[in-house]
């Protein structure tokens, strides 16, 4: 899933960042043409690639904590934070140094990135704007070990997590209503317009509106490790296939609408903005549950996601996330962009992906991997 997540994010930014270099009217024309194309429209929903990462992160981190509890009977919280630091900060620091040295936009505010507080700055003042997701993860994991120690071994842990998922939906709904946000989304490549900035600053990059996919991953890890849900799904294929159909159907319903155009009524608009991200995270978590339980078609999904060709991409996914906008900006800055008809998204995608993976490999081999080896067991 990591490989699919990073590829989706990169392809989304390959397209989105064209808007920085192209005439606004031509870009909007190209944007709406892509949205109307059933073979390409999914690219415009690449922000969900981050939600995929969040689900996987919650699942994997919780599995690590559960394994430590099983082996030692406790969770070493200082060790947990040190492992997170060695996993994320070395490669991140290298990118931040490059960003500051090049005096890129808002470079003077990189201090907030070092403290993982950049998502609380207005988007117009953020350095390395795409790193808001790292801040959300670290804010979540700042409190998560304590939550896990308090709840993780209790009988009603599932209901505590379901309650927090519903709380997240409630917060999202309150903010959507308070700010009067409506569909369709604004076509705004780097959140330069008032509407885009307002949505980004109040909802898009805040931990209290984006934690639900992470928590959905946590819930999957708990169900697999502390309950007999895997056995029950294996013993009830009708139920397992029902979960599969519901998850895939929900994902299809979320991704099918034209979210940047079309007519939206006030009720459906509010419902979509309130629910779409949490429902996406829960649906992906349901698929992850089936894959790990090897039930309801999970074996087939698991074999596809374990495809050997995707493994190098998955291994480089963190480095690729850090560097790909820099690579795309560098590439586009050396290219002329004319009208919409002259843009070849296939060529841009191939060049951007190739260069991103090459730069990511260097970052991974010389910085990320050596320092990851220092992490305590």
């Amino acid at each position: 899933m990591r490989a699919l997540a990073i590829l989706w994010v990169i392809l989304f930014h390959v397209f989105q960042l064209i808007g920085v270099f192209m005439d606004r009217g031509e870009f909007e024309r190209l944007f709406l043409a892509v949205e109307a194309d059933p073979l390409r429209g999914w690219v415009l929903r690449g922000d969900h690639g981050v939600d995929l990462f969040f689900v996987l992160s919650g699942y994997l981190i919780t599995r690590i904590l559960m394994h430590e509890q099983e082996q030692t009977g406790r969770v070493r919280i200082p060790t947990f934070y040190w492992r997170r630091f060695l996993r994320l900060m070395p490669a991140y620091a290298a990118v931040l140094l490059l960003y500051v040295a090049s005096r890129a936009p808002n470079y003077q505010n990189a201090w907030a990135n070092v403290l993982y507080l950049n998502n609380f700055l207005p988007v117009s003042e953020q350095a390395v704007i795409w790193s808001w997701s790292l801040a959300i993860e670290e804010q979540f994991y700042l409190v998560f070990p304590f939550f896990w120690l308090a709840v993780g071994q209790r009988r009603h842990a599932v209901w505590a997590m379901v309650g927090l998922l519903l709380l997240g939906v409630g917060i999202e709904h309150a903010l959507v209503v308070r700010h009067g946000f409506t569909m369709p989304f604004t076509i705004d490549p780097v959140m330069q317009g008032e509407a885009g900035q307002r949505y980004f600053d109040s909802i898009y990059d805040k931990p209290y509106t984006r934690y639900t996919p992470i928590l959905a991953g946590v819930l999957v890890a708990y169900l697999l490790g502390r309950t007999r849900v895997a056995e029950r799904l294996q013993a009830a294929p009708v139920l397992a296939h029902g979960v599969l159909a519901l998850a895939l159907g929900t994902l299809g319903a979320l991704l099918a609408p034209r979210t940047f155009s079309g007519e939206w009524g006030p009720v459906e608009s509010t419902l979509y903005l309130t629910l779409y991200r949490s429902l996406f995270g829960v649906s992906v978590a349901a698929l992850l549950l089936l894959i790990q339980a090897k039930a309801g078609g999970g074996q087939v999904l698991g074999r596809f996601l374990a495809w050997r060709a995707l493994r190098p991409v998955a291994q480089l996914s963190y480095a690729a996330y850090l560097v790909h906008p820099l690579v795309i900006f560098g590439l586009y800055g050396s290219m002329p962009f004319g009208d919409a008809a002259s843009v070849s998204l296939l060529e841009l995608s191939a060049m951007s992906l190739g260069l991103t993976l090459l730069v990511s490999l260097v970052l991974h081999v010389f910085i990320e991997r050596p320092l990851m080896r220092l992490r305590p067991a």
Side-chain angles (χ1 to χ4, degrees):
M1 279 190 180
R2 281 189 301 165
L4 296 183
I6 189 59
L7 289 173
W8 200 3
V9 169
I10 293 174
L11 290 175
F12 171 57
H13 285 147
V14 163
F15 181 78
Q16 182 192 39
L17 295 178
I18 296 173
V20 179
F21 299 89
M22 180 182 276
D23 172 77
R24 179 63 180 263
E26 287 294 321
F27 177 68
E28 288 192 8
R29 188 156 70 90
L30 175 63
F31 197 103
L32 294 175
V34 170
E35 184 185 36
D37 184 347
L39 296 179
R40 298 186 297 170
W42 58 270
V43 172
L44 303 183
R45 308 305 306 277
D47 60 310
H48 280 308
V50 174
D51 296 315
L52 265 175
F53 276 124
F54 283 168
V55 172
L56 289 172
S57 175
Y59 171 75
L60 293 171
I61 293 298
T62 305
R63 294 286 289 182
I64 290 171
L65 291 184
M66 290 172 62
H67 178 73
E68 183 178 4
Q69 279 185 315
E70 291 165 3
Q71 296 296 314
T72 67
R74 62 193 179 101
V75 172
R76 297 170 296 170
I77 292 179
T79 302
F80 173 82
Y81 292 140
W82 180 236
R83 285 176 60 86
R84 292 292 299 169
F85 178 85
L86 290 176
R87 174 67 185 93
L88 298 181
M89 185 51 75
Y92 190 25
V95 171
L96 286 174
L97 287 172
L98 176 63
Y99 192 91
V100 171
S102 61
R103 293 180 172 267
N106 301 317
Y107 73 92
Q108 69 275 12
N109 289 334
W111 61 268
N113 299 69
V114 175
L115 298 176
Y116 294 111
L117 293 173
N118 46 301
N119 59 326
F120 283 102
L121 293 178
V123 63
S124 59
E125 298 177 15
Q126 290 182 27
V128 194
I129 186 174
W130 58 96
S131 63
W132 59 267
S133 62
L134 304 183
I136 285 175
E137 278 199 80
E138 292 316 288
Q139 289 154 13
F140 182 89
Y141 293 126
L142 183 65
V143 300
F144 176 65
F146 301 99
F147 168 80
W148 185 253
L149 287 174
V151 173
Q153 306 226 49
R154 294 187 179 275
R155 186 177 176 184
H156 301 299
V158 169
W159 297 113
M161 286 184 262
V162 169
L164 286 173
L165 287 171
L166 293 175
L167 175 63
V169 171
I171 292 171
E172 187 111 16
H173 177 73
L175 289 171
V176 167
V177 172
R178 177 186 175 187
H179 292 280
F181 293 124
T182 58
M183 296 292 289
F185 293 132
T186 303
I187 300 174
D188 194 352
V190 286
M191 301 302 164
Q192 296 170 324
E194 188 272 336
Q197 287 188 12
R198 199 157 53 89
Y199 182 74
F200 200 100
D201 289 339
S202 59
I203 290 181
Y204 191 83
D205 69 345
K206 294 299 180 283
Y208 42 80
T209 57
R210 297 299 296 259
Y211 74 82
T212 52
I214 309 178
L215 190 59
V218 173
L219 181 56
V220 171
Y222 177 86
L223 290 173
L224 290 169
R226 297 279 163 84
T227 74
R228 301 181 63 186
V229 71
E231 296 175 23
R232 290 171 182 168
L233 287 170
Q234 290 166 1
V238 173
L239 172 61
H241 283 91
V243 172
L244 176 67
L246 182 60
L248 292 177
T250 302
L251 291 174
L254 292 172
L255 297 176
R258 294 188 182 182
T259 52
F260 293 91
S261 61
E263 297 293 329
W264 289 79
V267 174
E268 61 181 329
S269 179
T270 300
L271 280 175
Y272 191 87
L273 286 169
T274 296
L275 295 171
Y276 82 102
R277 203 168 294 284
S278 294
L279 283 179
F280 182 91
V282 170
S283 298
V284 169
L287 295 179
L288 180 61
L289 176 64
L290 294 174
I291 290 169
Q292 297 301 321
K294 296 181 172 60
Q299 306 96 313
V300 177
L301 284 172
R303 282 196 294 270
F304 169 72
L305 294 172
W307 184 31
R308 187 171 297 178
L310 294 175
R311 291 178 189 173
V313 179
Q315 192 172 28
L316 296 176
S317 60
Y318 176 57
Y321 185 81
L322 290 174
V323 304
H324 79 274
L326 299 176
V327 171
I328 294 171
F329 268 111
L331 178 64
Y332 287 6
S334 63
M335 299 174 63
F337 285 94
D339 59 16
S342 68
V343 174
S344 172
L345 292 178
L346 185 61
E347 290 181 10
L348 293 177
S349 298
M351 288 189 290
S352 299
L353 281 172
L355 288 171
T356 293
L357 292 177
L358 182 61
V359 176
S360 302
L361 179 63
V362 173
L363 184 63
H364 177 75
V365 169
F366 291 102
I367 297 178
E368 184 183 5
R369 188 169 64 183
L371 288 164
M372 280 174 61
R373 289 172 177 164
L374 299 178
R375 292 184 297 172

